[in-house]
Coordinates of all heavy atoms in Angstrom, one line a residue:
G28 N -17.4 -43.2 -55.6 CA -16.9 -43.1 -54.3 C -17.7 -42.2 -53.4 O -18.8 -41.7 -53.8
A29 N -17.3 -42.1 -52.2 CA -18.0 -41.3 -51.2 C -18.2 -39.8 -51.6 O -17.2 -39.2 -52.2 CB -17.3 -41.3 -49.8
A30 N -19.3 -39.3 -51.5 CA -19.7 -37.9 -51.8 C -19.4 -37.5 -53.3 O -19.3 -36.4 -53.6 CB -18.9 -37.0 -50.9
A31 N -19.5 -38.5 -54.2 CA -19.2 -38.3 -55.6 C -20.1 -37.2 -56.2 O -19.6 -36.4 -57.0 CB -19.3 -39.6 -56.4
F32 N -21.4 -37.2 -55.9 CA -22.3 -36.2 -56.5 C -22.9 -35.3 -55.4 O -23.9 -34.7 -55.7 CB -23.4 -37.0 -57.2 CG -22.9 -37.7 -58.5 CD1 -22.5 -39.0 -58.4 CD2 -22.9 -37.1 -59.7 CE1 -22.0 -39.7 -59.5 CE2 -22.4 -37.7 -60.8 CZ -22.0 -39.0 -60.7
L33 N -22.3 -35.3 -54.3 CA -22.8 -34.5 -53.1 C -23.1 -33.0 -53.6 O -22.3 -32.4 -54.2 CB -21.8 -34.5 -52.0 CG -22.1 -33.7 -50.7 CD1 -23.2 -34.4 -50.0 CD2 -20.9 -33.6 -49.9
Y34 N -24.4 -32.6 -53.3 CA -24.8 -31.2 -53.6 C -24.9 -30.9 -55.1 O -25.0 -29.7 -55.5 CB -24.0 -30.2 -52.9 CG -24.2 -30.1 -51.4 CD1 -23.2 -30.6 -50.6 CD2 -25.3 -29.5 -50.9 CE1 -23.4 -30.5 -49.2 CE2 -25.5 -29.5 -49.5 CZ -24.5 -30.0 -48.7 OH -24.7 -29.9 -47.3
T35 N -24.8 -31.8 -56.0 CA -24.9 -31.5 -57.4 C -26.4 -31.4 -57.8 O -27.3 -31.8 -57.1 CB -24.2 -32.6 -58.3 OG1 -24.8 -33.8 -58.1 CG2 -22.7 -32.7 -57.9
K36 N -26.6 -31.0 -59.0 CA -28.0 -30.8 -59.6 C -28.3 -31.9 -60.6 O -29.2 -31.6 -61.5 CB -28.1 -29.4 -60.2 CG -28.0 -28.3 -59.2 CD -28.2 -26.9 -59.8 CE -28.0 -25.7 -58.9 NZ -27.9 -25.8 -57.6
V37 N -27.8 -33.0 -60.4 CA -28.1 -34.2 -61.3 C -29.6 -34.5 -61.2 O -30.2 -34.3 -60.1 CB -27.3 -35.4 -61.1 CG1 -25.8 -35.2 -61.4 CG2 -27.4 -35.9 -59.7
V38 N -30.2 -34.9 -62.3 CA -31.6 -35.2 -62.3 C -31.9 -36.7 -62.4 O -32.8 -37.2 -61.8 CB -32.3 -34.4 -63.4 CG1 -33.8 -34.8 -63.5 CG2 -32.2 -32.9 -63.2
D39 N -31.2 -37.3 -63.3 CA -31.4 -38.7 -63.7 C -30.1 -39.4 -63.8 O -29.2 -38.9 -64.6 CB -32.2 -38.8 -65.0 CG -32.7 -40.2 -65.3 OD1 -33.6 -40.7 -64.6 OD2 -32.1 -40.8 -66.2
V40 N -29.9 -40.5 -63.1 CA -28.6 -41.2 -63.1 C -28.8 -42.7 -63.4 O -29.7 -43.3 -62.8 CB -27.8 -41.0 -61.8 CG1 -26.6 -41.8 -61.7 CG2 -27.5 -39.5 -61.5
T41 N -27.9 -43.2 -64.2 CA -27.9 -44.7 -64.4 C -26.6 -45.2 -63.9 O -25.5 -44.8 -64.4 CB -28.1 -45.1 -65.8 OG1 -29.4 -44.6 -66.2 CG2 -28.1 -46.6 -66.0
V42 N -26.6 -46.0 -62.9 CA -25.3 -46.6 -62.4 C -24.9 -47.7 -63.3 O -25.7 -48.6 -63.6 CB -25.5 -47.1 -60.9 CG1 -24.3 -47.8 -60.4 CG2 -25.9 -45.9 -60.0
P43 N -23.7 -47.7 -63.8 CA -23.3 -48.8 -64.7 C -23.3 -50.2 -64.0 O -23.1 -50.3 -62.8 CB -21.8 -48.4 -65.0 CG -21.7 -47.0 -64.7 CD -22.6 -46.7 -63.6
E44 N -23.4 -51.2 -64.9 CA -23.5 -52.6 -64.4 C -22.2 -53.0 -63.8 O -22.1 -54.0 -63.0 CB -23.8 -53.5 -65.6 CG -25.1 -53.4 -66.2 CD -26.2 -54.1 -65.4 OE1 -25.9 -55.0 -64.7 OE2 -27.4 -53.7 -65.6
T45 N -21.1 -52.3 -64.0 CA -19.8 -52.7 -63.5 C -19.6 -52.2 -62.0 O -18.6 -52.6 -61.4 CB -18.6 -52.1 -64.3 OG1 -18.9 -50.7 -64.4 CG2 -18.6 -52.7 -65.7
V46 N -20.5 -51.4 -61.5 CA -20.4 -50.9 -60.2 C -21.0 -51.9 -59.2 O -22.0 -52.5 -59.4 CB -21.2 -49.5 -60.1 CG1 -21.3 -49.0 -58.6 CG2 -20.5 -48.5 -61.0
T47 N -20.2 -52.1 -58.0 CA -20.7 -53.0 -57.0 C -21.1 -52.3 -55.7 O -21.7 -53.0 -54.9 CB -19.6 -54.1 -56.7 OG1 -18.4 -53.4 -56.3 CG2 -19.3 -54.9 -57.9
Y48 N -20.7 -51.1 -55.5 CA -21.1 -50.4 -54.3 C -21.3 -48.9 -54.7 O -20.7 -48.4 -55.6 CB -20.2 -50.5 -53.2 CG -18.9 -49.7 -53.2 CD1 -18.9 -48.5 -52.5 CD2 -17.8 -50.1 -54.0 CE1 -17.7 -47.7 -52.6 CE2 -16.7 -49.3 -54.0 CZ -16.7 -48.1 -53.3 OH -15.5 -47.3 -53.4
V49 N -22.2 -48.2 -53.9 CA -22.4 -46.8 -54.0 C -22.0 -46.2 -52.7 O -22.6 -46.5 -51.7 CB -23.9 -46.5 -54.4 CG1 -24.1 -45.0 -54.5 CG2 -24.3 -47.2 -55.7
G50 N -21.0 -45.3 -52.7 CA -20.4 -44.8 -51.5 C -21.3 -43.9 -50.6 O -22.3 -43.4 -51.1
N51 N -20.9 -43.8 -49.4 CA -21.6 -43.0 -48.4 C -21.7 -41.5 -48.9 O -20.7 -40.9 -49.4 CB -20.9 -43.0 -47.1 CG -21.8 -42.7 -45.9 OD1 -23.0 -42.9 -46.0 ND2 -21.3 -42.2 -44.8
S52 N -22.9 -41.0 -48.8 CA -23.2 -39.6 -49.2 C -23.0 -39.3 -50.7 O -22.9 -38.2 -51.2 CB -22.4 -38.6 -48.4 OG -22.7 -38.7 -47.1
S53 N -22.9 -40.4 -51.5 CA -22.6 -40.2 -53.0 C -23.7 -39.3 -53.6 O -23.3 -38.5 -54.5 CB -22.6 -41.6 -53.7 OG -21.5 -42.3 -53.4
F54 N -24.9 -39.4 -53.2 CA -26.0 -38.6 -53.8 C -26.7 -37.8 -52.7 O -27.9 -37.5 -52.9 CB -27.0 -39.6 -54.6 CG -26.3 -40.2 -55.8 CD1 -25.8 -41.5 -55.7 CD2 -26.2 -39.5 -57.0 CE1 -25.2 -42.1 -56.8 CE2 -25.6 -40.1 -58.1 CZ -25.1 -41.4 -58.0
A55 N -26.1 -37.5 -51.7 CA -26.7 -36.7 -50.6 C -26.9 -35.3 -51.0 O -26.1 -34.7 -51.8 CB -25.8 -36.8 -49.4
Y56 N -28.0 -34.7 -50.6 CA -28.3 -33.3 -50.8 C -28.4 -33.0 -52.3 O -28.1 -31.9 -52.8 CB -27.3 -32.4 -50.2 CG -27.3 -32.5 -48.7 CD1 -26.4 -33.3 -48.1 CD2 -28.2 -31.8 -47.9 CE1 -26.4 -33.5 -46.7 CE2 -28.2 -32.0 -46.5 CZ -27.3 -32.8 -45.9 OH -27.3 -32.9 -44.6
C57 N -28.9 -34.0 -53.1 CA -29.1 -33.8 -54.5 C -30.6 -33.5 -54.7 O -31.4 -34.4 -55.0 CB -28.7 -35.0 -55.3 SG -27.0 -35.3 -55.3
S58 N -31.0 -32.3 -54.4 CA -32.5 -31.9 -54.4 C -33.2 -32.0 -55.7 O -34.4 -32.2 -55.8 CB -32.6 -30.5 -53.9 OG -32.0 -29.6 -54.7
K59 N -32.4 -32.1 -56.8 CA -33.0 -32.2 -58.2 C -33.1 -33.7 -58.6 O -33.7 -34.0 -59.6 CB -32.2 -31.4 -59.2 CG -32.1 -29.9 -58.8 CD -33.3 -29.2 -59.1 CE -33.0 -27.7 -58.9 NZ -34.2 -26.9 -58.7
L60 N -32.4 -34.6 -57.9 CA -32.4 -36.0 -58.3 C -33.7 -36.6 -58.2 O -34.3 -36.7 -57.1 CB -31.3 -36.7 -57.5 CG -31.1 -38.2 -57.9 CD1 -30.6 -38.3 -59.3 CD2 -30.0 -38.8 -56.9
V61 N -34.2 -37.1 -59.4 CA -35.6 -37.7 -59.4 C -35.5 -39.2 -59.5 O -36.2 -39.9 -58.9 CB -36.4 -37.1 -60.6 CG1 -37.7 -37.8 -60.7 CG2 -36.6 -35.6 -60.4
N62 N -34.6 -39.7 -60.4 CA -34.5 -41.1 -60.7 C -33.0 -41.5 -60.7 O -32.2 -40.9 -61.3 CB -35.1 -41.5 -62.1 CG -36.5 -41.2 -62.2 OD1 -37.3 -41.7 -61.3 ND2 -36.9 -40.5 -63.2
I63 N -32.8 -42.7 -60.1 CA -31.5 -43.3 -60.2 C -31.7 -44.8 -60.4 O -32.4 -45.5 -59.6 CB -30.6 -43.0 -59.0 CG1 -29.2 -43.7 -59.2 CG2 -31.2 -43.5 -57.7 CD1 -28.2 -43.2 -58.2
R64 N -31.1 -45.3 -61.5 CA -31.2 -46.7 -61.8 C -30.0 -47.4 -61.2 O -28.9 -47.1 -61.5 CB -31.2 -46.9 -63.3 CG -32.5 -46.5 -64.0 CD -32.4 -46.5 -65.5 NE -33.7 -46.0 -66.1 CZ -34.1 -44.7 -66.1 NH1 -33.3 -43.8 -65.6 NH2 -35.2 -44.4 -66.6
I65 N -30.3 -48.5 -60.4 CA -29.3 -49.2 -59.7 C -29.4 -50.6 -60.1 O -30.3 -51.3 -59.9 CB -29.4 -49.0 -58.2 CG1 -29.4 -47.6 -57.8 CG2 -28.4 -49.8 -57.5 CD1 -29.6 -47.3 -56.4
P66 N -28.3 -51.1 -60.8 CA -28.3 -52.5 -61.3 C -28.1 -53.5 -60.1 O -27.7 -53.2 -59.0 CB -27.1 -52.5 -62.2 CG -26.1 -51.6 -61.6 CD -27.0 -50.5 -61.1
A67 N -28.4 -54.8 -60.4 CA -28.3 -55.8 -59.5 C -26.9 -56.1 -59.0 O -26.6 -56.7 -58.0 CB -28.9 -57.1 -60.0
S68 N -25.9 -55.6 -59.8 CA -24.5 -55.7 -59.4 C -24.1 -55.0 -58.2 O -23.2 -55.3 -57.5 CB -23.6 -55.2 -60.6 OG -23.8 -53.9 -60.8
V69 N -24.9 -53.9 -57.8 CA -24.6 -53.2 -56.6 C -25.1 -54.0 -55.4 O -26.2 -54.4 -55.2 CB -25.4 -51.8 -56.6 CG1 -25.2 -51.1 -55.3 CG2 -24.8 -50.9 -57.7
K70 N -24.1 -54.2 -54.5 CA -24.4 -55.1 -53.3 C -24.1 -54.3 -52.0 O -24.3 -54.8 -50.9 CB -23.4 -56.3 -53.3 CG -23.6 -57.2 -54.5 CD -24.9 -57.8 -54.6 CE -25.0 -58.7 -55.8 NZ -26.3 -59.1 -56.2
T71 N -23.7 -53.0 -52.1 CA -23.5 -52.2 -50.9 C -23.9 -50.8 -51.2 O -23.5 -50.2 -52.2 CB -22.0 -52.3 -50.5 OG1 -21.6 -53.6 -50.3 CG2 -21.7 -51.5 -49.2
M72 N -24.7 -50.2 -50.2 CA -25.0 -48.8 -50.2 C -25.0 -48.5 -48.7 O -25.2 -49.4 -47.8 CB -26.3 -48.5 -50.8 CG -26.2 -48.6 -52.3 SD -27.7 -48.0 -53.2 CE -28.8 -49.4 -52.9
F73 N -24.8 -47.2 -48.3 CA -24.7 -46.8 -47.0 C -25.9 -46.0 -46.5 O -26.6 -45.5 -47.3 CB -23.3 -46.1 -46.8 CG -22.1 -46.9 -47.2 CD1 -21.7 -46.9 -48.5 CD2 -21.5 -47.7 -46.2 CE1 -20.6 -47.7 -48.8 CE2 -20.4 -48.5 -46.6 CZ -19.9 -48.4 -47.9
D74 N -26.0 -45.9 -45.2 CA -27.1 -45.2 -44.6 C -27.3 -43.8 -45.2 O -28.5 -43.4 -45.3 CB -26.9 -45.0 -43.0 CG -27.0 -46.3 -42.3 OD1 -27.5 -47.3 -42.9 OD2 -26.6 -46.4 -41.2
K75 N -26.3 -43.1 -45.5 CA -26.4 -41.7 -45.9 C -26.2 -41.5 -47.4 O -25.9 -40.4 -47.9 CB -25.5 -40.8 -45.1 CG -26.0 -40.8 -43.7 CD -25.3 -39.7 -42.8 CE -25.8 -39.9 -41.4 NZ -25.5 -38.7 -40.6
T76 N -26.2 -42.6 -48.2 CA -25.9 -42.5 -49.6 C -26.8 -41.5 -50.3 O -26.4 -40.8 -51.1 CB -26.1 -43.9 -50.3 OG1 -25.1 -44.8 -49.7 CG2 -25.9 -43.9 -51.8
F77 N -28.1 -41.4 -49.9 CA -29.1 -40.5 -50.5 C -29.6 -39.5 -49.5 O -30.7 -39.0 -49.7 CB -30.2 -41.4 -51.1 CG -29.8 -42.4 -52.1 CD1 -29.8 -43.7 -51.8 CD2 -29.4 -42.0 -53.4 CE1 -29.3 -44.7 -52.7 CE2 -29.0 -43.0 -54.3 CZ -28.9 -44.3 -53.9
N78 N -28.9 -39.2 -48.5 CA -29.3 -38.3 -47.4 C -29.8 -37.0 -48.0 O -29.2 -36.3 -48.8 CB -28.2 -38.1 -46.5 CG -28.6 -37.4 -45.2 OD1 -29.7 -37.6 -44.7 ND2 -27.7 -36.6 -44.6
K79 N -31.1 -36.6 -47.6 CA -31.7 -35.3 -48.0 C -32.0 -35.2 -49.5 O -32.1 -34.1 -50.0 CB -30.9 -34.2 -47.5 CG -30.6 -34.2 -46.0 CD -31.8 -34.0 -45.2 CE -31.5 -34.0 -43.7 NZ -32.6 -33.9 -42.8
S80 N -32.0 -36.3 -50.2 CA -32.4 -36.2 -51.6 C -33.9 -36.7 -51.7 O -34.2 -37.8 -52.1 CB -31.5 -37.1 -52.4 OG -30.2 -36.6 -52.4
S81 N -34.8 -35.8 -51.3 CA -36.1 -36.2 -51.0 C -37.0 -36.4 -52.2 O -38.1 -37.0 -52.1 CB -36.8 -35.1 -50.1 OG -36.7 -33.8 -50.8
A82 N -36.6 -36.0 -53.4 CA -37.5 -36.2 -54.6 C -37.2 -37.5 -55.3 O -37.7 -37.8 -56.3 CB -37.2 -35.0 -55.6
L83 N -36.3 -38.3 -54.7 CA -35.7 -39.5 -55.3 C -36.6 -40.7 -55.4 O -37.3 -41.0 -54.5 CB -34.4 -39.8 -54.5 CG -33.7 -41.1 -54.9 CD1 -33.1 -40.9 -56.3 CD2 -32.6 -41.4 -53.9
T84 N -36.5 -41.4 -56.6 CA -37.1 -42.7 -56.7 C -36.0 -43.6 -57.2 O -35.4 -43.3 -58.3 CB -38.3 -42.7 -57.7 OG1 -39.3 -41.9 -57.2 CG2 -38.8 -44.1 -57.9
L85 N -35.8 -44.7 -56.6 CA -34.8 -45.7 -57.1 C -35.5 -46.6 -58.1 O -36.6 -47.0 -57.9 CB -34.3 -46.6 -55.9 CG -33.6 -45.9 -54.8 CD1 -33.1 -47.0 -53.8 CD2 -32.5 -45.0 -55.2
I86 N -34.8 -46.9 -59.2 CA -35.3 -47.8 -60.2 C -34.4 -49.0 -60.0 O -33.2 -49.0 -60.2 CB -35.3 -47.2 -61.6 CG1 -36.1 -45.9 -61.6 CG2 -35.8 -48.2 -62.6 CD1 -35.9 -45.1 -62.8
V87 N -35.0 -50.2 -59.6 CA -34.3 -51.3 -59.2 C -34.8 -52.6 -59.9 O -35.8 -52.6 -60.5 CB -34.4 -51.5 -57.7 CG1 -33.9 -50.3 -57.0 CG2 -35.8 -51.8 -57.3
E88 N -34.0 -53.7 -59.7 CA -34.5 -55.0 -60.2 C -35.1 -55.7 -59.1 O -34.7 -55.6 -57.9 CB -33.3 -55.7 -60.8 CG -32.7 -55.1 -62.0 CD -31.5 -55.8 -62.6 OE1 -31.5 -57.1 -62.5 OE2 -30.6 -55.1 -63.1
A89 N -36.1 -56.5 -59.4 CA -36.8 -57.3 -58.4 C -35.9 -58.2 -57.6 O -35.1 -58.9 -58.2 CB -37.9 -58.1 -59.0
G90 N -36.0 -58.2 -56.3 CA -35.2 -59.1 -55.5 C -33.8 -58.6 -55.3 O -33.0 -59.3 -54.6
S91 N -33.4 -57.5 -55.8 CA -32.0 -57.0 -55.7 C -31.7 -56.4 -54.4 O -32.6 -56.0 -53.6 CB -31.7 -56.0 -56.8 OG -32.5 -54.8 -56.6
Y92 N -30.4 -56.2 -54.1 CA -30.0 -55.5 -52.9 C -30.6 -54.1 -52.9 O -31.0 -53.6 -51.8 CB -28.4 -55.4 -52.9 CG -27.9 -54.5 -51.8 CD1 -27.7 -55.1 -50.5 CD2 -27.7 -53.2 -51.9 CE1 -27.2 -54.3 -49.4 CE2 -27.3 -52.4 -50.9 CZ -27.0 -52.9 -49.6 OH -26.6 -52.2 -48.6
A93 N -30.6 -53.4 -54.0 CA -31.2 -52.0 -54.1 C -32.6 -52.0 -53.7 O -33.1 -51.1 -53.1 CB -31.0 -51.5 -55.5
E94 N -33.4 -53.0 -54.1 CA -34.8 -53.1 -53.7 C -34.9 -53.2 -52.2 O -35.7 -52.5 -51.6 CB -35.6 -54.2 -54.4 CG -37.0 -54.2 -54.0 CD -37.8 -55.4 -54.7 OE1 -37.2 -56.4 -55.0 OE2 -39.0 -55.2 -54.8
N95 N -34.2 -54.1 -51.6 CA -34.2 -54.2 -50.2 C -33.7 -53.0 -49.5 O -34.3 -52.6 -48.4 CB -33.4 -55.4 -49.7 CG -34.0 -56.7 -50.2 OD1 -35.2 -56.9 -50.1 ND2 -33.2 -57.7 -50.5
Y96 N -32.7 -52.3 -50.0 CA -32.2 -51.1 -49.4 C -33.3 -50.0 -49.4 O -33.5 -49.3 -48.4 CB -31.0 -50.6 -50.3 CG -30.5 -49.2 -49.8 CD1 -29.4 -49.2 -48.9 CD2 -31.0 -48.0 -50.3 CE1 -28.9 -48.0 -48.4 CE2 -30.5 -46.8 -49.8 CZ -29.5 -46.8 -48.9 OH -29.0 -45.6 -48.5
A97 N -34.1 -49.9 -50.5 CA -35.1 -48.9 -50.6 C -36.2 -49.2 -49.6 O -36.7 -48.3 -48.9 CB -35.7 -48.9 -52.0
I98 N -36.6 -50.5 -49.5 CA -37.6 -50.9 -48.5 C -37.1 -50.6 -47.1 O -37.8 -49.9 -46.3 CB -37.9 -52.4 -48.6 CG1 -38.7 -52.6 -50.0 CG2 -38.8 -52.8 -47.4 CD1 -38.8 -54.1 -50.4
N99 N -35.9 -51.0 -46.7 CA -35.4 -50.8 -45.4 C -35.1 -49.3 -45.0 O -35.1 -49.0 -43.8 CB -34.1 -51.6 -45.2 CG -34.3 -53.1 -45.2 OD1 -35.4 -53.5 -44.9 ND2 -33.3 -53.8 -45.6
N100 N -35.0 -48.5 -46.0 CA -34.7 -47.1 -45.8 C -35.8 -46.1 -46.1 O -35.7 -44.9 -46.2 CB -33.4 -46.6 -46.5 CG -32.2 -47.3 -45.9 OD1 -31.7 -46.8 -44.8 ND2 -31.7 -48.4 -46.4
S101 N -37.0 -46.7 -46.4 CA -38.2 -46.0 -46.8 C -38.0 -45.0 -47.9 O -38.4 -43.8 -47.8 CB -38.7 -45.2 -45.5 OG -39.0 -46.1 -44.5
I102 N -37.3 -45.5 -49.0 CA -37.1 -44.7 -50.1 C -38.0 -45.2 -51.2 O -38.2 -46.4 -51.4 CB -35.6 -44.8 -50.6 CG1 -34.7 -44.2 -49.5 CG2 -35.4 -44.1 -51.9 CD1 -33.2 -44.5 -49.8
A103 N -38.7 -44.3 -51.9 CA -39.6 -44.6 -53.0 C -38.8 -45.4 -54.1 O -37.6 -45.1 -54.4 CB -40.2 -43.4 -53.6
Y104 N -39.4 -46.4 -54.6 CA -38.7 -47.2 -55.7 C -39.7 -47.8 -56.6 O -40.9 -47.9 -56.3 CB -37.8 -48.3 -55.1 CG -38.6 -49.5 -54.5 CD1 -38.8 -50.6 -55.3 CD2 -39.1 -49.4 -53.2 CE1 -39.5 -51.7 -54.7 CE2 -39.8 -50.5 -52.7 CZ -40.0 -51.6 -53.5 OH -40.7 -52.7 -53.0
T105 N -39.2 -48.1 -57.8 CA -40.0 -48.9 -58.8 C -39.1 -50.0 -59.3 O -37.9 -49.9 -59.3 CB -40.5 -48.1 -60.0 OG1 -39.3 -47.5 -60.6 CG2 -41.4 -46.9 -59.6
V106 N -39.8 -51.1 -59.6 CA -39.1 -52.3 -60.1 C -39.2 -52.3 -61.6 O -40.2 -52.1 -62.2 CB -39.7 -53.6 -59.6 CG1 -39.1 -54.8 -60.2 CG2 -39.6 -53.6 -58.1
E107 N -38.0 -52.5 -62.3 CA -38.0 -52.4 -63.7 C -37.6 -53.8 -64.3 O -37.0 -54.6 -63.7 CB -36.9 -51.5 -64.1 CG -37.0 -51.0 -65.5 CD -36.0 -49.9 -65.8 OE1 -34.8 -50.1 -65.7 OE2 -36.5 -48.7 -66.1

């Protein structure tokens, strides 16, 4: 949900395949967050989902919503 991990010190996260959206500010201000794996099941993320989480790299599937989100929001990503 919204702000689920806001300001936490998580480093590496794998979003489960059962998740379809990642809420607004869910991972905002997570300065230690380096990698988050986002499955193709995720079809919605918001403008501030990763706000101020500057060390972040999204790990996504080719052609997925998450890949397009990373491109459109200038977030580093790798395709897995």
Side-chain angles (χ1 to χ4, degrees):
F32 292 91
L33 181 68
Y34 288 107
T35 63
K36 295 182 181 354
V37 296
V38 175
D39 189 72
V40 174
T41 299
V42 175
E44 295 279 338
T45 55
V46 172
T47 59
Y48 79 97
V49 181
N51 203 27
S52 298
S53 287
F54 295 96
Y56 298 95
C57 292
S58 60
K59 306 283 186 198
L60 183 58
V61 177
N62 295 311
I63 181 166
R64 287 169 183 78
I65 302 177
S68 61
V69 173
K70 303 295 184 196
T71 304
M72 290 188 282
F73 300 89
D74 292 344
K75 296 188 181 198
T76 296
F77 303 105
N78 193 35
K79 305 294 182 184
S80 296
S81 57
L83 176 66
T84 297
L85 301 183
I86 302 168
V87 302
E88 295 180 35
S91 66
Y92 174 87
E94 181 181 25
N95 290 324
Y96 178 92
I98 292 167
N99 292 334
N100 290 280
S101 301
I102 297 173
Y104 74 96
T105 57
V106 174
E107 200 173 61

